[in-house]
Amino acid sequence: KRFANVYADNFVGDGSGLSNLPGGVGVSTSVGTFTANAGTPSNIDSFAYASNDFKVAEYTLHFTNGSNIQAQKLLVMQDNTNAFSNEFAIMSKSGKIVSVDAVISGSNVLVRATPESGISGLTTFRWRREVQT
């Protein structure tokens, strides 16, 4: 017997191999580092809005700088001219490490982490991005 639809209550993995999801939803993850310099933004992600046409992206972010840690959410939307972003659900141990925002540069939306005053040195980031087109 052939079934037209398959449903699941639980998933394992990051979802990067999934396709044909409703509403163009996709999930990506990344890990990287940058050298923090207070007040100087570092790009931690980018996507070409013209080719991917992502209208909204939600990030779950984690940062480590020495013994300091920070986790948060970031909501990003864009209209092919401007990027808009909002940080929320921010929590940290030993104070905030970075502020996160999004801007458009050329044909890309850039997600940036800007170290707070007193933060310097190697900083590790991890993010999970869920997008809708």
Side-chain angles (χ1 to χ4, degrees):
K1 186 173 186 178
R2 184 170 177 242
F3 295 98
N5 295 309
V6 175
Y7 300 94
D9 293 324
N10 295 300
F11 299 92
V12 176
D14 66 7
S16 60
L18 299 175
S19 62
N20 297 323
L21 296 173
V25 176
V27 176
S28 301
T29 60
S30 184
V31 176
T33 62
F34 62 91
T35 301
N37 182 9
T40 303
S42 292
N43 297 336
I44 61 170
D45 189 29
S46 68
F47 55 88
Y49 66 79
S51 61
N52 295 324
D53 203 24
F54 295 172
K55 295 301 179 192
V56 64
E58 182 177 335
Y59 288 82
T60 302
L61 300 141
H62 183 270
F63 298 92
T64 304
N65 177 277
S67 62
N68 302 324
I69 59 173
Q70 177 178 329
Q72 70 176 84
K73 294 280 198 170
L74 177 73
L75 192 61
V76 177
M77 71 176 187
Q78 58 87 19
D79 63 4
N80 294 349
T81 303
N82 298 293
F84 308 91
S85 60
N86 188 298
E87 296 179 277
F88 63 103
I90 302 167
M91 58 186 182
S92 63
K93 176 190 150 218
S94 302
K96 194 172 176 188
I97 299 170
V98 296
S99 293
V100 187
D101 69 351
V103 297
I104 287 187
S105 177
S107 60
N108 293 311
V109 175
L110 306 178
V111 176
R112 311 179 306 175
T114 303
E116 297 290 328
S117 177
I119 301 295
S120 63
L122 186 66
T123 303
T124 301
F125 63 86
R126 291 170 169 78
W127 55 251
R128 178 184 186 275
R129 178 184 70 202
E130 182 177 336
V131 297
Q132 288 186 316
T133 57

